Amino acid sequence: MDADSTPAAVEVEEDLVSVDVRVARSLVDPDGALTDDDIVAAADAQGMAAVVDGDSVVYTMSKPQRDEMLAEMRSSAQDSIDDMVSDTSNSVTDVEIDNAMTSFRVSVDRQQFSPLESMLVLGFYIQGALYQQFAGASPDDVEVTVDFIDDATGEVLESGSYQEWRKNLEQ
C-alpha cells in the first residue's frame, strides 16, 4: 500500500470558532474496549463533541480547547524528555525540540550510547506527528526528524525521519 492511499490518522478542519479533528479510532481506543457511546460520553465529559464515523472519531472543539490540548501535548512530551534525561540507565543527556515539534536533537554520552536506544525515535515520531496533525498539518506534510548527537563533539551519530519510518512500515 502506498502512502497516498493510506487513510490519515488525524485530520483537522477549522472554521471561525471551532475545530474538527478526525482521529483514527485505533488511537482513541487501541484495545477496542470502548463502545461508540463510551467515546461520545468521554468527549462530552471534556466539553467536546464526538461522532464515531466508521474507523474514525471526529472531535469538535473550540479553538481554545484545541490550543489547550496542544499545550498539554507539548507539556507531556517535555515531561517524558525530563524523565528520560534524569534516567541514568540510558545515555541521553539532553533533548531539544523546536516549537512545532518537527525536530528532536537528542544529546547522548557516546560511551554509553547503545544502538537499542535509537528505538526512542518511535516515541518522538508519534509525539511530533500527533502534535503537528492536531495543529492542522496535513498528514503528508508532517515530518519529524530525530538526530542523536555526541554531547562531547557535536557529531551526529544517527539520524532518522518520521516519513522514512512510515515508508518502511508500508513495505
Side-chain angles (χ1 to χ4, degrees):
M1 177 181 281
D2 69 9
D4 293 339
S5 64
T6 304
V10 179
E11 294 175 8
V12 177
E13 290 183 29
E14 295 188 40
D15 67 22
L16 294 176
V17 290
S18 67
V19 180
D20 287 345
V21 180
R22 178 178 292 271
V23 181
R25 185 182 180 127
S26 62
L27 292 175
V28 175
D29 182 24
D31 299 325
L34 300 175
T35 66
D36 292 357
D37 290 339
D38 292 337
I39 292 171
V40 170
D44 188 50
Q46 296 292 318
M48 298 179 263
V51 175
V52 178
D53 182 19
D55 62 352
S56 298
V57 180
V58 179
Y59 292 97
T60 301
M61 62 192 82
S62 70
K63 286 184 179 183
Q65 284 174 309
R66 196 263 314 255
D67 293 345
E68 182 177 327
M69 181 179 284
L70 291 172
E72 287 173 6
M73 291 171 87
R74 280 195 61 77
S75 178
S76 176
Q78 189 60 56
D79 289 347
S80 295
I81 288 167
D82 292 345
D83 289 344
M84 188 181 308
V85 170
S86 67
D87 181 355
T88 58
S89 70
N90 66 54
S91 67
V92 178
T93 59
D94 191 30
V95 179
E96 297 174 16
I97 52 177
D98 65 350
N99 288 335
M101 293 185 69
T102 61
S103 173
F104 292 76
R105 295 179 48 86
V106 184
S107 296
V108 298
D109 177 341
R110 183 181 206 144
Q111 302 303 316
Q112 290 184 318
F113 183 65
S114 160
L116 290 177
E117 287 181 320
S118 63
M119 296 299 287
L120 294 171
V121 300
L122 298 178
F124 296 134
Y125 289 163
I126 292 168
Q127 288 176 323
L130 280 173
Y131 180 89
Q132 291 173 51
Q133 288 181 332
F134 270 91
S138 160
D140 291 333
D141 293 335
V142 168
E143 182 59 289
V144 180
T145 59
V146 179
D147 295 318
F148 288 91
I149 299 166
D150 183 329
D151 64 0
T153 66
E155 175 187 353
V156 176
L157 303 174
E158 289 188 32
S159 188
S161 84
Y162 171 76
Q163 290 295 340
E164 288 172 3
W165 175 68
R166 266 185 68 198
K167 286 177 187 168
N168 288 334
L169 286 178
E170 294 169 359
Q171 293 180 2

